[in-house]
């Protein structure tokens, strides 16, 4: 009751100023958003092949193993931390990059053989190492737009991404540790 009175007292001055107070309607449990797994399993969630790509992407942490430019030269700027390779993590609509200077993330859409990534958003920590700061720029430059995507199987799954400039990034998949 006190909350209602307090809320009403806040709403009155706003109403007097001509401002409209709008509250969000309560969401009944029957219409609450479905868990990600249910959305991913729904037949209308993605085109054939896309669903499998999304499931594969979201099941693993993806650690950068190799990166080459179009001429085949190793992209050393992406390997600043030998003990902590870049890591990609996906959910149904986002990708995040870990083990860089800052945390980068972007909206993404996967199909069977492409990955569309919007420009990265990033935290803004200053890093003491210039090479680590440059790593953020290099990652953001290469992981945006339409990327070719290919999965490889074997002892551990692999993810190969190719950008429009011809840079090829190869990641190995690692299952998350059980809690």
């Amino acid at each position: 009751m006190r909350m209602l009175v307090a809320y009403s007292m806040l709403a009155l001055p706003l109403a007097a100023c001509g401002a409209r107070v709008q509250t969000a309607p309560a969401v009944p449990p029957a219409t609450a958003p479905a868990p990600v797994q249910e959305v991913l399993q729904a037949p209308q969630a993605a085109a054939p092949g896309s669903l499998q790509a999304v499931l594969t992407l979201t099941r693993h942490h993806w650690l950068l193993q190799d990166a080459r430019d179009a001429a085949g030269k190793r992209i050393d700027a992406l390997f600043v931390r030998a003990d902590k390779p870049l890591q990609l993590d996906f959910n149904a609509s986002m990708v995040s990059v870990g083990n860089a200077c800052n945390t980068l993330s972007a909206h993404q859409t996967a199909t069977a053989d492409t990955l569309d990534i919007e420009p990265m958003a990033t935290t803004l920590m200053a890093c003491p190492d210039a090479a680590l700061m440059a790593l953020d720029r290099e990652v953001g430059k290469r992981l945006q737009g339409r990327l070719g995507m290919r999965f490889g199987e074997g002892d551990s799954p692999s993810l190969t991404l190719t950008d429009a400039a011809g840079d090829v990034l190869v990641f190995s998949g690692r299952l998350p540790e059980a809690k």
Side-chain angles (χ1 to χ4, degrees), residues 98-121:
N99 296 336
C101 174
N102 289 281
T103 300
L104 295 93
S105 62
H107 287 279
Q108 58 80 17
T109 306
T111 67
D113 59 358
T114 62
L115 182 63
D116 289 314
I117 301 178
E118 293 181 9
M120 293 275 175

Side-chain angles (χ1 to χ4, degrees), residues 84-145:
K84 291 183 177 180
L86 284 176
Q87 178 175 310
L88 302 183
D89 289 293
F90 293 85
N91 68 25
S93 64
M94 298 288 294
V95 58
S96 64
V97 180
N99 296 336
C101 174
N102 289 281
T103 300
L104 295 93
S105 62
H107 287 279
Q108 58 80 17
T109 306
T111 67
D113 59 358
T114 62
L115 182 63
D116 289 314
I117 301 178
E118 293 181 9
M120 293 275 175
T122 182
T123 56
L124 298 174
M125 292 189 323
C127 298
D129 184 356
L132 201 51
M133 289 290 291
L135 176 61
D136 288 359
R137 284 190 307 275
E138 295 299 319
V139 169
K141 182 169 70 174
R142 287 177 173 83
L143 290 179
Q144 74 170 341

Side-chain angles (χ1 to χ4, degrees), residues 40-57:
L40 294 176
Q41 292 171 356
Q44 71 276 13
S50 299
L51 180 59
Q52 184 60 41
V54 170
L55 289 173
T56 301
L57 288 170

Side-chain angles (χ1 to χ4, degrees), residues 67-87:
R68 306 272 170 183
D69 65 15
K73 184 177 184 263
R74 185 173 191 252
I75 305 170
D76 291 328
L78 295 178
F79 295 95
V80 175
R81 299 172 120 176
D83 60 328
K84 291 183 177 180
L86 284 176
Q87 178 175 310

Side-chain angles (χ1 to χ4, degrees), residues 18-48:
R20 291 184 49 165
V21 177
Q22 185 174 11
T23 59
V27 178
T31 61
V36 171
Q37 295 298 17
E38 289 178 24
V39 172
L40 294 176
Q41 292 171 356
Q44 71 276 13

